[in-house]
Amino acid sequence: MASSSNGNGNLLDEFEESFQACLHALAKEEPSTEIDKEALKLEVDQTTMKFIHLARQMEAFFLQKRFLLSALKPELVLKEENLDLRYEIQRKDELIRKHYEKIDQWKSLLMDQQPITQQGSAGMQGSNDMRGLQGTGTAGPMMGGGTAGGVTGGPGGAGVMSQGPPGAMGLPGMSGPMQ
């Protein structure tokens, strides 16, 4: 491996050499005398500090390049942010889908717990009858693209409304389409 003192100024090579020096200092056999232990501790501290210093220099280098890129080509930064937002929406849509699956499981569990003979009684015909709620669209809408024509799925397969302006979905405090 080339020495960092050769004057080439390659920060990545220096960083790698510093990392190797840290590993070498940590992998040495433990000395038997107190003086050797202190020297080893000093060497580990020095190599670690050099490694941290070079890591900060590399971070500053990449931050400078990132700043130049954002100043010269701001559309690339916008594309990256747009891609990040799409991934976040996909992740949240998947989370919502999993919640809908859990809701379906809990609904079926509750329906299984209610005796069938009580379905016709007067006490069960009120708002406590869970059998009439399956697939009624009470779970609310999902955002993003689950399928090509909008999002479907959810409780009972028909419980999710298609996408539209938030005001049309009946969400409180939101009027008109989102921009």
Side-chain angles (χ1 to χ4, degrees):
M1 202 176 297
S3 173
S4 62
S5 62
N6 63 6
N8 66 359
N10 190 346
L11 191 59
L12 185 60
D13 288 340
E14 289 182 35
F15 182 72
E16 185 179 354
E17 288 174 12
S18 175
F19 179 70
Q20 293 294 333
C22 282
L23 290 179
H24 179 69
L26 291 171
K28 283 184 179 179
E29 289 186 25
E30 207 171 297
S32 58
T33 64
E34 189 65 32
I35 297 171
D36 290 340
K37 287 181 183 180
E38 289 297 321
L40 180 63
K41 184 177 187 288
L42 181 63
E43 181 183 0
V44 167
D45 288 344
Q46 287 175 345
T47 56
T48 304
M49 291 305 293
K50 182 178 179 184
F51 178 72
I52 290 171
H53 176 69
L54 289 170
R56 288 182 180 147
Q57 284 182 346
M58 281 188 59
E59 181 182 23
F61 172 79
F62 286 115
L63 286 173
Q64 287 173 350
K65 294 298 180 185
R66 175 80 177 178
F67 176 72
L68 283 174
L69 185 66
S70 67
L72 298 176
K73 297 199 180 233
E75 67 274 3
L76 292 178
V77 174
L78 292 175
K79 283 182 182 180
E80 183 180 345
E81 288 177 6
N82 189 12
L83 187 64
D84 288 344
L85 289 173
R86 286 182 189 196
Y87 286 141
E88 184 177 350
I89 288 171
Q90 287 176 352
R91 182 183 57 84
K92 289 182 178 181
D93 281 346
E94 181 67 21
L95 185 63
I96 289 171
R97 186 189 61 76
K98 288 179 182 178
H99 284 290
Y100 281 147
E101 290 173 359
K102 291 286 186 182
I103 289 171
D104 283 341
Q105 289 175 358
W106 282 102
K107 279 184 179 179
S108 66
L109 181 65
L110 285 173
M111 283 189 254
D112 291 344
Q113 295 297 321
Q114 293 177 347
I116 295 175
T117 58
Q118 291 182 357
Q119 182 180 6
S121 69
M124 292 301 292
Q125 290 179 356
S127 63
N128 291 336
D129 189 3
M130 296 297 289
R131 295 173 210 270
L133 292 178
Q134 184 174 7
T136 60
T138 58
M142 283 177 42
M143 296 186 60
T147 62
V151 178
T152 58
V160 179
M161 296 187 292
S162 63
Q163 281 185 308
M169 291 185 272
L171 296 176
M174 300 187 90
S175 60
M178 291 176 43
Q179 298 291 326

